Amino acid sequence: MKKLAILSFVAALALTGIVQAHSGAKGAVKARMDSMSQIGANMKILGEMAKGKVGFDQVAAQQAAGNIAEHASQVAALFEEKDVSAPSEARPEIWDNWTDFVSKATTMADIATDIAPTLTTLGDIRAAMPRLGSACKSCHKDYRL
């Protein structure tokens, strides 16, 4: 439960800065930031359910996981263009370690795809969040400023 609280806090903190970070973003950077914002927003939906801040809603939970899977599956295409112009938070190491980066994005998409249909109870979300959060964190740790 402590891990879940930490992951939810990190997601909320990230969402707070997103609005400010997106001002001035253009082209590939804006498209990437918008997609990552959608992943964050859907993680927030799941995190708030898991923490009991909002009531469990099976349809919303499954839809949120499906949305995460959809956006995560687009990460490689969104990052094909090497653009780290401000306000990008992408590290140049993405393109130096492309195979690892794509693998991490694919793992995130696979996890979200796998868990989406299984989110039928609050316990299911609580069990899935650490796995899903770890996938986010593994990529952010290496490839996000």
Side-chain angles (χ1 to χ4, degrees):
M1 191 64 152
K2 186 175 180 181
K3 285 183 185 180
L4 180 59
I6 292 169
L7 289 172
S8 295
F9 174 74
V10 169
L13 189 60
L15 287 173
T16 303
I18 286 172
V19 173
Q20 294 173 344
H22 285 215
S23 62
K26 296 176 185 163
V29 171
K30 181 161 180 18
R32 295 188 316 230
M33 291 178 128
D34 288 348
S35 186
M36 293 296 168
S37 292
Q38 289 300 310
I39 291 172
N42 283 282
M43 286 291 288
K44 182 178 179 184
I45 290 168
L46 295 174
E48 287 183 346
M49 280 187 210
K51 291 189 320 187
K53 287 188 171 185
V54 298
F56 173 74
D57 179 332
Q58 179 179 345
V59 172
Q62 290 176 336
Q63 184 175 6
N67 290 339
I68 292 167
E70 179 184 343
H71 286 282
S73 71
Q74 298 170 7
V75 167
L78 290 168
F79 281 84
E80 282 181 347
E81 181 181 336
K82 183 178 181 178
D83 184 349
V84 292
S85 58
S88 178
E89 296 177 345
R91 290 185 178 175
E93 290 84 358
I94 289 171
W95 296 275
D96 296 336
N97 302 308
W98 183 251
T99 301
D100 181 61
F101 176 76
V102 171
S103 174
K104 288 179 179 184
T106 301
T107 296
M108 173 77 164
D110 291 347
I111 290 170
T113 298
D114 289 347
I115 69 165
T118 71
L119 301 178
T120 60
T121 68
L122 178 58
D124 296 333
I125 292 177
R126 288 181 174 158
M129 285 300 287
R131 187 172 164 217
L132 196 56
S134 291
C136 290
K137 185 178 177 181
S138 74
C139 199
H140 284 194
K141 181 182 77 156
D142 293 336
Y143 300 116
R144 182 178 179 197
L145 295 175

